[in-house]
Amino acid sequence: MTEPDCIFCKILAGEVPCFKLYEDDRTLAFMDINPFNDGHCLIITKAHSTNLFDADPADLAAVLPAAQTVARAVEAALEPEGINLIQANGPAAGQTVFHYHVHIFPRQLNDMALLNWGHRPGDMARVEATYKKILAAMA
Ligand code: AMP
Ligand code: ZN
């Protein structure tokens, strides 16, 4: 399944170039053209889906091993001080391309990436109430 206006579908179709790192039956990995740090790259599913909510579980299952392969290479090649896997769902989560993808996001100490949030002690009653809501939605 492809979407005509989707930039990642265009990359998959060969209509837009990419620095391809890895490919298998279900996934493709390439360099992010707006890297936060050197080595920032993306794993996408070959099938178009908007994000986590509508992706095929079999495609999702293929993404993590692909991410491991690429992350190991990033680790070996660049020796960053850390690597985050980041995956955004919806605009408030920072999603800008609406085709499922996972960022391999190399980190350096004190790089000030805004995804670092402080640890504030939680209100356990609120945590438990939220937990129950999510659990009920899984039933
Ligand atoms: P997100 O904001 O999580 O949706 O991430 C989308 C990512 O795709 C951004 O980091 C962009 O820099 C990246 N991106 C957008 N267009 C391209 C492209 N043509 N080739 C490589 N990366 C891209
Ligand atoms: Zn797409």
Side-chain angles (χ1 to χ4, degrees):
M1 182 174 53
T2 59
E3 289 286 321
D5 293 332
C6 171
I7 185 72
F8 289 173
C9 283
K10 287 182 179 163
I11 288 175
L12 284 161
E15 294 165 10
V16 168
C18 74
F19 293 105
K20 181 162 91 175
L21 286 165
Y22 172 86
E23 181 173 16
D24 61 31
D25 287 351
R26 291 180 182 270
T27 72
L28 175 72
F30 51 87
M31 301 303 290
D32 195 304
I33 53 167
N34 305 301
F36 179 77
N37 279 323
D38 287 343
H40 182 175
C41 53
L42 303 169
I43 316 290
I44 72 170
T45 52
K46 286 192 169 174
H48 178 94
S49 64
T50 305
N51 55 33
L52 180 68
F53 303 123
D54 59 340
D56 180 337
D59 287 332
L60 296 178
V63 166
L64 208 48
Q68 183 185 45
T69 297
V70 177
R72 281 177 168 162
V74 170
E75 173 74 2
L78 305 176
E79 299 183 345
E81 289 169 306
I83 294 179
N84 285 115
L85 295 187
I86 302 171
Q87 192 271 314
N89 303 285
Q95 186 175 12
T96 60
V97 175
F98 292 87
H99 177 132
Y100 179 89
H101 58 280
V102 172
H103 295 254
I104 293 182
F105 196 84
R107 301 297 309 277
Q108 302 298 340
L109 290 172
N110 304 315
D111 67 13
M112 304 296 282
L114 288 178
L115 53 100
N116 288 352
W117 59 92
H119 286 185
R120 281 176 298 159
D123 170 349
M124 282 308 120
R126 191 180 174 103
V127 170
E128 187 178 8
T130 310
Y131 158 74
K132 285 179 176 164
K133 272 192 203 170
I134 299 169
L135 209 56
M138 257 192 263

